[in-house]
Amino acid sequence: TVKGEITGDEDVLVEGAVEGQVRISRDLRIAGSGSVRANVEANSVIVSGEVLGDCTAAVRVDIQATGRLTGNIRAPKIVIAEGAVFRGNSDMSPRQGEAKAAGAPVPPPVDRKVAQS
């Protein structure tokens, strides 16, 4: 059991319990036996166990069939396998400036006019 803040730039595998905050620049994997009660920021988050807290990922959040996530997700890619449990809100919009930095075209504003009869 770890209570407090986990930070770093290596992949992290949680097979026990973590309470607090997790901020890593690499991948976070929560094993089937793992439990995380924390807000999480990582490159990618793969959930096979349980997460209670908000998840922010630069690349993706993947909730596998045995995974349970209660909290909000913010990531450009979200995968929720059949059998997985997710309760919260999801936001797949790119972070401020990422669409331009990645060279993705920004769509022009839509002018919607209502036709009158």
Side-chain angles (χ1 to χ4, degrees):
T1 300
V2 175
K3 291 185 180 183
E5 184 174 338
I6 296 175
T7 60
D9 60 354
E10 294 291 329
D11 292 341
V12 174
L13 171 63
V14 177
E15 293 179 319
V18 174
E19 293 182 29
Q21 185 169 10
V22 179
R23 289 184 309 176
I24 58 173
S25 60
R26 300 280 301 267
D27 296 344
L28 173 67
R29 181 178 295 270
I30 297 94
S33 61
S35 173
V36 174
R37 292 181 180 273
N39 289 332
V40 172
E41 294 179 35
N43 189 53
S44 292
V45 180
I46 300 97
V47 181
S48 296
E50 181 176 16
V51 174
L52 179 59
D54 294 344
C55 288
T56 302
V59 176
R60 72 188 294 159
V61 172
D62 184 348
I63 308 172
Q64 298 183 339
T66 58
R68 298 170 310 282
L69 193 150
T70 303
N72 300 319
I73 298 174
R74 181 178 177 100
K77 295 180 185 175
I78 299 171
V79 178
I80 303 174
E82 185 175 348
V85 176
F86 168 61
R87 173 177 245 160
N89 295 309
S90 61
D91 182 353
M92 295 177 64
S93 61
R95 290 183 182 170
Q96 219 42 352
E98 283 183 5
K100 291 179 184 178
V106 177
V110 178
D111 184 18
R112 297 181 186 207
K113 296 181 180 178
V114 177
Q116 296 180 355
S117 321

